[in-house]
Amino acid sequence: MTPSADLIQWDKRHCWHPFTQAQTAPDPIPMASARGATLTSVDGRTFIDLNASWWVTTHGHAHPAIAAAIAQQAQTLEQVIFAGFTHAPAVNLATRLSETLGGDLDRVFFSDDGSTAVEVALKMAAQYHINQGTPRHRFVAFRGGYHGDTVGAMSMGQGSGFFDAFQAMLFHVDLLDYPATWLGDPTPELREALVLSQLDDYLATHGPQCGALLMEPLVQGAAGMRMARAGFVQQVMERCRAAGVLVILDEVMTGFGRTGTLFAFQQCGDYPDIICLSKGLTAGFMPMSVTVVREPIYQAFMGEGFERALAHGHSFTANPLGCVAALASLELFEQEGSLARIGQIAALHQQRLEPLQKHAKAVRPRVCGSIGAIDLRVADGGYGAEIGPKLKAFFIEKGLLMRPLGNTVYLLPPYCVSDAQLHQGWDAIEEALDTLL
């Protein structure tokens, strides 16, 4: 029995994979190593990672600078409780993030992944209003938004359609439409105006009871890389601020360069009250997230009694290994000119998508930073589209890690990807359009 077959056997015996129907899914591919934008399997096959390994890998796999920072830290302090203790990696990272985010986003709460970053934000928003003596118990979000898999995050993302089995567990959330747009869209202003009118009506009726609005700025990821214009996001934030509704931006996916700027909100002319970051935070090396808040929100938790404190925490809060990985990653953005490279990636996406705007089997081509996406014209669109598994298998056969979202195909690569590797991805998409549909 080969090592690969051995791994598959024991995997199928003991492992439970995410977002997978094990009864019908093909065998998982055992991986052995990775470098840059290339993954290598146990049996020697190579795959170009055009999915950034579920949107987490920024500078490339096994980047030596980040690996070295983690190795050095592991020999001195690998973990310590963060309640009553602190350490230089956490302090340095919190300081660096605050300086980089700007405004008065000065207070950093560490946790483990994107779902918990959102969960923390919701609890902060709710308790903030309670501590102010003006409880607000309503929340509002956008249809299609996906914010994670914990109960609070699922509640805010129930408009995504992923969580029907858990409906009885979820709390009520008010939902607004989302004005998705694309290259060549003739009427984005009309859809934006309709949604902003919905928001105005909502705030006029429920504003005093609404604690916070949550949204993914510029791109709804899991909904199929649905994109909105920066001006729309800015107007949403301005309206909420005028109504005393906190704005929580879920930048778990859009943060750390994905949309062309280090953070998506930097294109939108305003600051959120709370921002959630994960995925690219540690460049894909370590599980870590942060929820960062404006100073006045933090100050609302100050008091003589514990009842005003945020009663929330995680065993691995501010893990030193994750902190040094994040610090090394932030350094690489400057040293390697990552944002300039993302601009080049966006231009290549635009170049390859332009002819597809007239393709009979493709609709809604769109680009935002390192993300290029297009929808295949099929009868059953959405995450459960029949074409999805066929596309995934097709790309794997081509040596490409591309994980379609139903009938949406997209490229979201690590920033070290070469132009040739990107062209391979787009060539495969064009071939799929001509052979699978």
Side-chain angles (χ1 to χ4, degrees), residues 351-435:
Q351 171 196 335
R352 293 302 302 261
L353 280 168
E354 191 164 335
L356 292 180
Q357 293 186 56
K358 300 177 181 178
H359 199 292
K361 298 178 182 178
V363 291
R364 295 181 288 275
R366 48 207 185 270
V367 177
C368 187
S370 68
I371 308 166
I374 195 164
D375 297 338
L376 278 57
R377 195 188 295 275
V378 295
D380 62 335
Y383 191 80
E386 184 180 346
I387 192 66
K390 297 178 183 177
L391 288 166
K392 183 180 176 184
F394 177 83
F395 295 136
I396 286 292
E397 284 297 315
K398 297 286 183 182
L400 303 169
L401 172 53
M402 295 167 59
R403 188 179 174 89
L405 294 160
N407 65 312
T408 298
V409 290
Y410 67 93
L411 274 63
L412 192 160
Y415 309 142
C416 64
V417 69
S418 69
D419 286 0
Q421 289 171 323
L422 287 171
H423 281 301
Q424 283 184 253
W426 286 114
D427 289 346
I429 290 172
E430 290 190 358
E431 185 177 346
L433 285 168
D434 295 331
T435 60

Side-chain angles (χ1 to χ4, degrees), residues 110-124:
F110 292 92
S111 51
D112 301 347
D113 58 25
S115 298
T116 53
V118 169
E119 202 83 9
V120 169
L122 298 175
K123 293 173 73 172
M124 286 175 169

Side-chain angles (χ1 to χ4, degrees), residues 39 43 213 245-246 277 321 356 367:
L39 301 158
D43 58 11
L213 174 142
V245 174
L246 298 179
L277 304 171
L321 304 181
L356 292 180
V367 177

Side-chain angles (χ1 to χ4, degrees), residues 50 97 146 150 158 205 341 408 423 436:
L50 297 176
L97 285 172
Y146 173 90
T150 52
Q158 58 192 280
T205 305
R341 175 56 186 153
T408 298
H423 281 301
L436 295 184

Side-chain angles (χ1 to χ4, degrees), residues 140-144 174-178 195 198-200 202 213 220 236:
V140 62
F142 290 88
R143 289 185 178 87
D174 301 308
L175 295 174
L176 303 171
D177 293 329
Y178 183 80
V195 176
Q198 286 181 15
L199 177 60
D200 288 338
Y202 175 83
L213 174 142
Q220 285 187 333
V236 168

Side-chain angles (χ1 to χ4, degrees), residues 73-74 76-91 110-112 286 288 313-323:
Q73 183 63 42
T76 55
L77 177 66
E78 86 298 344
Q79 168 65 9
V80 65
I81 183 174
F82 205 59
F85 293 85
T86 192
H87 50 80
V91 174
F110 292 92
S111 51
D112 301 347
M286 302 291 294
M288 173 172 275
H314 301 272
S315 300
F316 291 96
T317 293
N319 174 261
L321 304 181
C323 290

